[in-house]
Amino acid sequence: AAVRCQLCPPQRALQASAALRRVSDEQKKEPLASSSQQQQPFDSHPTDHQPEQDPQGPRPSYTGQGGQESEDYESEEQLQHRILTAALEFVPEHGWTAEAIAEGAKTLGLSVAAAGMFHGDGSELILHFVSECNTKLSQLLEEEQKLVQLGKAEKKPTDQFLRDAVEARLRMLIPYIEKWPQALSILLLPHNIPASLNLLTSMIDDIWQYAGDQSTDFNWYTRRAVLTGIYNTTELVMLQDSSPDFEETWRFLENRVADAMNMGSAADQVQSTGEAVVQGLMGMAVTVSN
Amino acid sequence: AAAALCPCRLLFARCGGALRPLCGSVRGLAAGQDTHFGFQTVTEAERREKIYQVFENVAKKYDVMNDSMSLGIHRVWKDILMHKMNPSPGTLLLDVAGGTGDIAFRFLNYVRSVRERQLQQKLKHHQSLSWQEISESYKEDKSESPGDSQVVVCDINKEMLKVGKQKAQHLGYSKGLSWVLGNAEELPFDDDMFDVYTIAFGIRNVTRIDLALQEAYRVLKPGGRFLCLEFSHVSNPVLSRLYDLYSFQVIPVLGEVIAGDWKSYQYLVESIRRFPPQEEFKAMIEDAGFLKVDYQNLNFGIVAIHSGFKL
């Protein structure tokens, strides 16, 4: 073993990464924005030397394997994200499979073998897509909230808010609706359930947050459970809906949300009726005993 | 005569690393640094020469010996490697030290079946093909063409390549297959050429593994994959003892009986012990520049598949 070590002196070949882009490439947009505010003439080709630009700003730096020069390259996870995003456009044709990922890698100039980085069943692609949709939804709700705060829009009643949020989120599935049943079945595989459940619950939680839910009692759980049920059933209805622009689905959604609202008041009514009944019985008992 | 030699050889094997070879340790000044050949210490040039001779001697019986030594399990290992690779049609594969072509043939079979499945799917969706189109699609001899996938088999040893070419002819593989004589430490190919680089049970015979890994990095396209199937370290102590027993007692005897060559198979089992264990080899692959390097143990570490990407 000692002999062998002499033969391979530990020199880390500081090779420029073949496919990982320098982070500063992606940050070209940011210095342009900031420098235009400062009214400095900016280059159309900003150089890589941007001392004031912290390369670790919005991007996590890649610090694996002690290669100092790779600190301002994007990380492997970011490259994987790029490949998955590129692969989405091939999903309608190939489904949620390794072939779609391979095609996506090809459009980025990488070899098709790069698809080997991912699981063979396409689960990472689906999870990536769901997570992207959730992020988009959050951004939408955030913007709406800002408009309301600025007074430019009215605050919606809760049922309208929930309907719009669920509709907006489900509309993101429309381009992939044909292959979506396949995706759902893959998400239900045991090894994917933790991740997919996580994404679902955080999305529902997000919607309720923006709807203004501030409950601290058991209502917190009931509301989320109810909305999860509404979302899942509406999604299933959407899969077999053939009406123009999915009208049937939105009507179904409207009915379910209305049911949920009524359920709240129905529960109160049941409770007050129950109390009244109990009081009546007590009265009778007192009367009889006298 | 073989029986009489047996006890001496066993003694040899037992002494492990403290051997001073009977054939003399001539250290030529210009023959490179010292390295190992099995449990012996030789110079680099000597090592290359000896290994060349080993494979020259065993070439004809290589496949038979593989089957008898591993009880046929080597086929499963190679199949697992192919499934891990999961090549899509249109992939360009470089199989280094691919000698008798096992990986290359499996690759061609795999892409052929993937392509057939894809075509079937496409035909299912085409509801309105005319009869002419349908008959044309059957006319193309599907069983022959692997699409535009190609595999290049590269080996340093002429005898091994010869056996491989004969096998290919015998089994009927012709399209998409080429045979190149070359050294893994200095490949005769341009940069950024191949989608996948495989080396199955070959890298432990390379004298400068670091050079071979650098060459692998060089000839792969960005996004390309490096796959290495190799004997590795068994950590389970019980299994390790059984494995050692089998390796040193049974395999050289099989070598003598079936291939008439004790020494080559002695070299084989010794070279397995000399190869770095999984984590160390993973570090070497990372040093060459590969990312997302990982390994998968097969049969508790008797064999390991290392994978890395050029990103």
Side-chain angles (χ1 to χ4, degrees):
Chain A
V3 171
R4 188 178 48 243
C5 287
Q6 284 169 25
L7 298 175
C8 346
Q11 62 180 11
R12 161 89 162 93
L14 289 180
Q15 307 175 0
S17 233
L20 297 183
R21 295 195 305 213
R22 299 193 77 100
V23 174
S24 38
D25 281 353
E26 291 176 39
Q27 290 177 338
K28 271 181 197 165
K29 296 183 205 138
E30 298 179 39
L32 288 181
S34 59
S35 52
S36 64
Q37 285 171 6
Q38 296 163 22
Q39 293 184 338
Q40 284 172 11
F42 51 83
D43 301 334
S44 49
H45 306 287
T47 60
D48 291 346
H49 305 296
Q50 294 164 354
E52 66 276 8
Q53 194 74 31
D54 181 14
Q56 282 158 350
R59 305 248 185 293
S61 61
Y62 170 54
T63 49
Q65 297 147 24
Q68 292 100 327
E69 69 158 7
S70 45
E71 263 173 17
D72 52 346
Y73 280 86
E74 65 176 352
S75 69
E76 298 157 1
E77 284 84 37
Q78 287 171 321
L79 179 64
Q80 285 184 298
H81 275 264
R82 276 203 299 141
I83 296 179
L84 290 177
T85 311
L88 285 177
E89 86 179 66
F90 297 97
V91 165
E93 189 191 332
H94 293 279
W96 304 91
T97 56
E99 275 115 40
I101 303 180
E103 292 289 322
K106 249 206 286 198
T107 56
L108 291 181
L110 296 175
S111 152
V112 290
M117 282 196 283
F118 306 99
H119 248 135
D121 59 359
S123 14
E124 271 133 328
L125 184 56
I126 304 172
L127 290 170
H128 171 83
F129 173 66
V130 169
S131 141
E132 291 280 300
C133 286
N134 291 356
T135 314
K136 259 192 271 182
L137 180 68
S138 297
Q139 283 170 350
L140 254 167
L141 295 176
E142 174 83 35
E143 278 166 18
E144 260 181 41
Q145 195 185 50
K146 276 209 192 111
L147 287 176
V148 167
Q149 281 173 350
L150 291 175
K152 291 189 185 160
E154 284 176 8
K155 188 166 158 53
K156 291 186 211 165
T158 316
D159 60 341
Q160 178 75 30
F161 184 91
L162 295 177
R163 269 188 13 227
D164 287 342
V166 173
E167 181 179 333
R169 176 60 177 82
L170 286 175
R171 276 191 184 274
M172 297 182 201
L173 298 178
I174 294 181
Y176 307 99
I177 196 77
E178 296 207 355
K179 304 285 181 180
W180 193 244
Q182 179 195 9
L184 279 182
S185 63
I186 292 180
L187 284 179
L188 287 173
L189 289 174
H191 67 265
N192 286 329
I193 286 186
S196 64
L197 208 54
N198 199 3
L199 287 168
L200 179 64
T201 49
S202 55
M203 183 225 343
I204 298 288
D205 190 35
D206 247 356
I207 297 181
W208 269 119
Q209 293 271 31
Y210 284 106
D213 174 41
Q214 287 169 338
S215 50
T216 47
D217 52 0
F218 201 77
N219 261 329
W220 192 92
Y221 294 98
T222 339
R223 286 181 179 162
R224 277 151 186 77
V226 165
L227 188 57
T228 311
I230 295 178
Y231 177 84
N232 282 338
T233 44
T234 315
E235 192 179 17
L236 290 174
V237 165
M238 191 173 170
L239 288 179
Q240 47 81 53
D241 184 9
S242 50
S243 61
D245 197 33
F246 299 95
E247 285 163 0
E248 296 283 341
T249 312
W250 311 136
R251 210 172 309 145
F252 177 87
L253 175 62
E254 197 178 321
N255 291 339
R256 294 290 79 70
V257 172
D259 281 348
M261 296 291 129
N262 288 342
M263 195 169 68
S265 57
D268 285 340
Q269 281 173 359
V270 164
Q271 200 177 18
S272 53
T273 315
E275 276 173 14
V277 165
V278 165
Q279 275 181 356
L281 285 174
M282 290 295 288
M284 277 187 351
V286 166
T287 316
V288 164
S289 66
N290 283 349
Chain B
L5 281 169
C6 276
C8 298
R9 300 288 180 155
L10 285 176
L11 214 51
F12 234 59
R14 298 272 186 180
C15 292
L19 280 180
R20 276 286 158 257
L22 290 178
C23 39
S25 52
V26 180
R27 297 175 192 207
L29 285 172
Q33 296 184 345
D34 279 350
T35 175
H36 56 88
F37 176 76
F39 289 151
Q40 306 169 19
T41 305
V42 296
T43 61
E44 278 187 10
E46 272 182 357
R47 183 175 197 263
R48 290 196 180 98
E49 184 57 42
K50 283 178 184 286
I51 293 181
Y52 194 94
Q53 278 169 5
V54 163
F55 282 95
E56 208 175 31
N57 294 342
V58 307
K60 292 207 172 60
K61 296 283 185 165
Y62 187 71
D63 292 321
V64 172
M65 276 305 297
N66 279 349
D67 274 334
S68 52
M69 285 191 296
S70 66
L71 308 172
I73 303 179
H74 75 105
R75 296 161 188 257
V76 177
W77 291 331
K78 288 168 183 163
D79 285 338
I80 294 178
L81 177 70
M82 200 46 53
H83 271 96
K84 196 173 166 98
M85 192 198 302
N86 193 15
S88 45
T91 301
L92 197 53
L93 170 68
L94 173 65
D95 183 25
V96 175
T100 53
D102 276 344
I103 303 289
F105 303 148
R106 278 175 174 75
F107 172 79
L108 290 174
N109 289 341
Y110 196 101
V111 293
R112 192 175 299 163
S113 65
V114 170
R115 169 134 295 197
E116 270 174 15
R117 199 175 0 114
Q118 274 180 353
L119 286 170
Q120 274 174 8
Q121 293 262 1
K122 236 193 283 183
L123 286 177
K124 252 199 277 181
H125 288 301
H126 287 180
Q127 307 271 335
S128 54
L129 280 185
S130 70
W131 279 112
Q132 191 165 27
E133 283 168 304
I134 296 179
S135 66
E136 264 170 20
S137 71
Y138 278 111
K139 229 185 279 174
E140 268 185 53
D141 197 350
K142 292 293 174 344
S143 59
E144 272 293 319
S145 95
D148 33 354
S149 320
Q150 289 225 19
V151 53
V152 177
V153 181
C154 177
D155 201 291
I156 198 176
N157 195 300
K158 286 200 205 78
E159 288 300 311
M160 295 289 278
L161 280 180
K162 206 158 73 164
V163 173
K165 282 187 209 168
Q166 284 170 355
K167 238 171 78 173
Q169 223 174 17
H170 181 66
L171 293 170
Y173 293 98
S174 53
K175 283 212 193 129
L177 182 59
S178 38
W179 306 85
V180 173
L181 187 69
N183 183 351
E185 297 167 8
E186 207 178 319
L187 291 170
F189 303 109
D190 281 333
D191 299 357
D192 300 342
M193 268 191 77
F194 296 98
D195 290 305
V196 187
Y197 173 110
T198 51
I199 181 162
F201 302 120
I203 201 157
R204 80 180 182 285
N205 299 315
V206 171
T207 306
R208 292 287 306 272
I209 296 181
D210 54 337
L211 290 182
L213 293 172
Q214 282 170 27
E215 280 292 284
Y217 191 87
R218 182 181 68 81
V219 300
L220 276 174
K221 282 190 208 159
R225 190 173 196 182
F226 168 85
L227 282 167
C228 172
L229 176 67
E230 190 54 82
F231 288 107
S232 202
H233 185 67
V234 179
S235 42
N236 180 323
V238 174
L239 202 60
S240 173
R241 288 218 50 182
L242 289 172
Y243 180 48
D244 281 348
L245 209 68
Y246 181 74
S247 296
F248 287 104
Q249 311 290 13
V250 177
I251 290 183
V253 176
L254 279 180
E256 184 59 43
V257 167
I258 298 182
D261 191 349
W262 178 289
K263 280 208 308 218
S264 300
Y265 288 92
Q266 184 69 27
Y267 159 71
L268 172 91
V269 294
E270 290 175 1
S271 67
I272 294 176
R273 296 299 174 291
R274 287 295 233 158
F275 190 69
Q278 286 86 328
E279 280 294 325
E280 206 181 309
F281 187 51
K282 175 178 167 190
M284 289 169 79
I285 300 176
E286 284 170 347
D287 279 344
F290 290 99
L291 296 178
K292 286 197 83 66
V293 181
D294 200 13
Y295 62 86
Q296 180 190 356
N297 275 340
L298 303 178
N299 287 122
F300 299 105
I302 295 183
V303 163
I305 300 182
H306 281 76
S307 159
F309 290 89
K310 174 176 176 172
L311 291 177

